[in-house]
């Protein structure tokens, strides 16, 4: 996605995966409610994992800005702490 290239340096695989996921999402929305059964688009979620928050946040914010959609940050620290407590 060229717009991501303008704001994020490197991370080519992550940018490609995000671009494909966004394309499939909008493709699914465009075909929603149509009776054509030859098209099957599965739902998918994206989980960005990495050492720095800056790159993940930059990718998500840039994507939201380009698509003109709202952007929200949710902190899952308490959830990860709970999972870690269960595992030990």
């Amino acid at each position: 996605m060229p717009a991501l290239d303008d704001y994020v340096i490197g991370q080519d695989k992550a940018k490609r995966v995000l671009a494909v996921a966004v394309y499939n999402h909008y493709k699914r929305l465009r075909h929603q409610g149509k009776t054509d059964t030859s098209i099957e688009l599965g739902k998918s979620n994206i989980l960005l994992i990495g050492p720095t928050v800056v790159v993940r946040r930059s990718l998500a914010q840039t994507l939201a800005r380009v698509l003109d959609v709202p952007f929200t940050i949710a902190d899952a620290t308490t959830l990860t702490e709970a999972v870690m407590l269960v595992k030990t």
Side-chain angles (χ1 to χ4, degrees), residues 23-60:
Y23 173 78
N24 286 338
H25 174 72
Y26 279 99
K27 191 172 164 183
R28 184 174 41 257
L29 289 177
R30 190 173 47 245
H31 287 81
Q32 190 174 13
K34 293 188 179 179
T35 57
D36 185 6
T37 57
S38 65
I39 299 173
E40 184 178 327
L41 295 169
K43 248 184 166 175
S44 61
N45 296 316
I46 299 171
L47 177 62
L48 296 174
I49 300 173
T52 62
V53 176
V54 176
V55 173
R56 294 190 309 263
R57 184 174 295 173
S58 180
L59 283 169

Side-chain angles (χ1 to χ4, degrees), residues 1-87:
M1 178 173 260
L4 289 176
D5 288 334
D6 292 343
Y7 295 94
V8 179
I9 298 169
Q11 303 297 325
D12 293 330
K13 185 174 181 182
K15 289 187 285 191
R16 190 176 319 112
V17 168
L18 280 172
V20 169
V22 168
Y23 173 78
N24 286 338
H25 174 72
Y26 279 99
K27 191 172 164 183
R28 184 174 41 257
L29 289 177
R30 190 173 47 245
H31 287 81
Q32 190 174 13
K34 293 188 179 179
T35 57
D36 185 6
T37 57
S38 65
I39 299 173
E40 184 178 327
L41 295 169
K43 248 184 166 175
S44 61
N45 296 316
I46 299 171
L47 177 62
L48 296 174
I49 300 173
T52 62
V53 176
V54 176
V55 173
R56 294 190 309 263
R57 184 174 295 173
S58 180
L59 283 169
Q61 281 178 323
T62 302
L63 200 55
R65 187 180 320 114
V66 168
L67 298 173
D68 194 28
V69 295
F71 176 74
T72 302
I73 298 171
D75 184 18
T77 304
T78 56
L79 297 174
T80 55
E81 288 173 358
V83 171
M84 289 173 65
L85 290 174
V86 171
K87 285 186 175 182

